[in-house]
Structures are given as C-alpha cells and as structure tokens.
Amino acid sequence: MKRFLSIIFASIVFFSFYSALAQEGNRLRVRIYSESNNISEATIASSFGSYQLNENSIKRQDKINLSVSNGKILLKLNDQEQGSFDTVRFTSTDLKCFFQVAPTNNKARRYDNDLEITLTKDKKSLKFINVVLEDNYIAGVVQSEAGGASNSVEFFKVQAICCRNYMKRNLHKHEKDGYNLCDCVNCQVYFSRANKEQVVEGAAKSTGEVIVDKNDKIIETLFHSNSGGQTVDAKDVWGNDISYLKPVEDSFSVGQPNYTWEKEISEKEWLNYFKGKGLDVKDYNTKQELLNFSQTEGRKAKIFDIPLTQIRKDFKLKSTYFTVVPWGSNVKLKGKGYGHGVGMSQEGAAKMCEEGYEYWQVIEHYFKDVKIKKQ
Ligand SMILES: [Zn+2]
C-alpha cells in the first residue's frame, strides 16, 4: 500500500512538473533597440506583476537605473548604488508579467516576460535582450507590422502563422551574437508587446502552427501590401523557382486602398532611360512599344529584355504592374498594387477574412500546394 501511494505521489509530482513545463512554452532571445548602439543610460520598471532584479525581489514602485560606467553596468535602486555588473537580469515571477524599458535617448517601450541587460562589444552601450515566450513575441511582431490593418482575429491568425514561419526559419540568424532575432526590419519589426485584443487572440489561437510545402519544409512566407489583382512568380523577381510562390488571380486585392497608383514621367526621360539600356529608341516599333507598353491582359516580367523589377527600382515605382499611356509631353504609368507582389497580399488577406474566409483558406489561396501543420 505504501509503495502504491508513493507511485501515485511520484506521478502527481511528475505530471505537475510536466504541465508547468508545457505551460511555459518555448522562449526566445530577441535583441530590442538593436539599431541603437549609443544607449548609455536607461530605467526599467515592472508595468504588471512582480519582478526580481538579479535574484532580489523588488517592489512595483522601485526606481531602477542602469548606466554604463568603466566598462560595467552601474546599477542603482531608488538612487542607491547596488554595484557594477556585466549582466543585469530583470526576471518575471509569472507568465503574465510585463515591463517598461526607457533609454534616456530613446522612446520607452513595453515588452512581455524577462529582460537581460549586458554591454555591447565596445562596452559603450547597454544591450537589451528580451527573453520572451514565442507567442508573446509573435503577437508583438504582428501588432508592430500589421496591427492597424484589420480588426479580424482570423486575419491576425494568418499574420501570426506567417511570422511564426519566419521565426522558425531564422532562429539561428544572430546566434553568434548571443540571441535568436533582432527587432528591426532585418528580422521582423518588434517595437512593443501586443495590447490589441484581436492580435493576442490570433497568436494564441494559432499557437504552434506553421505552413509547410509539399516536402514538409517550413516555407518562406513572403508578403506585400497589394497584389494589384494578380500575384507574381518569385522567379520573375529573384530568379529562383519556388513551388509555393506562383502567380495567382487575386480579386480580393481589387479596390483596396493600395490597389492603384499613377506616375507621370517626361517622355524624354522615359525614352532616354531605355536608350541608356542599349535600345534603339528612334526605331518606330521600339518607340511605340515603349510608349504603349501594356499589362492590361495580365502581368509581364520584362519590357524587351529589361526586367520590370529593375525599372521599378530605378523609377521608384510602387509595383511592376503598370501600363504606359502617352500623356502630352509625358507618359503616364497607370499602376496596380503595392510591393513586390510575391506571396500573400496583406490587403487581399484582410478582405478575405472580412468576407468570412477562414485563415487556412487565405493561406491556401496565396501559397500553392502547402498545408498547415501543428508542431
Ligand atoms: Zn536581425
């Protein structure tokens, strides 16, 4: 009987330990303020819940100040010096805690979970690492990148899965620097924790879900603002054939805020540009083609041999999906869409969700031969 009870007791201990772990989830190390290498002083504070400062309990109203001093971090608590450290840890006591960090020369921001502060290699600036639960990070990114685009939970589920795919593919991107990802466009923009209810719900409801291709590999979830009614083959933009980044008809982007654009360029500048690329612009047929280039029947990749992606870059156009019309001494470019046009149209996805489509239908519309998998 005693033995039986101890087995029961051991199982209870084991399962409560296991469920605590499961609840914890995976944590990421994300460098915040990664573009600022000149933060010599900052304050931190709990915004919600109790925190520990280097293993010591602190109170909500405590004032914590960090500054760079002689190659170390000088720590002050309520204006009292606490010593100099290589690393300062601001650790939450439960999963709901969030904090505020305010560098003296930068905007204050709020983040979930924990903060680790060290110095940059040159020992001149504070370096902040947010040690954060994956879903909190995902929600923060979705809010930073697309929080204003919709109020639909379904749309934020789509965005959350796309961000999760990027995260999973790039976990080792900054490994040699001691963290997984940074907070700027070079990874994914992460300028705060999420406080918009629908965003948090979208991240939580899609937890663990990723998009895989027909070989079960996590796909690159490229997106843009508006496809103009037809998405682009990745091959036409970057030269490599990717099975899930193929052109699709996209009526959902039609009529959305970034659906059309126009730009006038003087005829002389337009023709000179192509002359500079080696075309004989005095030739009647060549000139007519350049002045009346049309994509009304669908997207093209080139004008003669010149990639539209190059023309887009050189004339700073919103997209490569334009038709040329002679306009007095100018040409008028009548364009559709905004962005590179590959993968998912954000405005189209928002429209689909508004119309009642489910998140997996949106994903299957924009990415070919893929499926959603729970990891
Ligand atoms: Zn980065």
Side-chain angles (χ1 to χ4, degrees), residues 6-26:
S6 65
I7 289 173
I8 294 209
F9 179 71
S11 318
I12 290 170
V13 170
F14 175 76
F15 283 111
S16 45
F17 174 68
Y18 181 78
S19 68
L21 267 186
Q23 195 190 12
E24 274 278 298
N26 290 330

Side-chain angles (χ1 to χ4, degrees), residues 191-210:
F191 288 167
S192 78
R193 68 186 291 272
N195 57 8
K196 182 167 172 164
E197 203 181 308
Q198 298 93 327
V199 171
V200 176
E201 202 180 327
K205 279 192 169 164
S206 67
T207 188
E209 292 187 333
V210 290

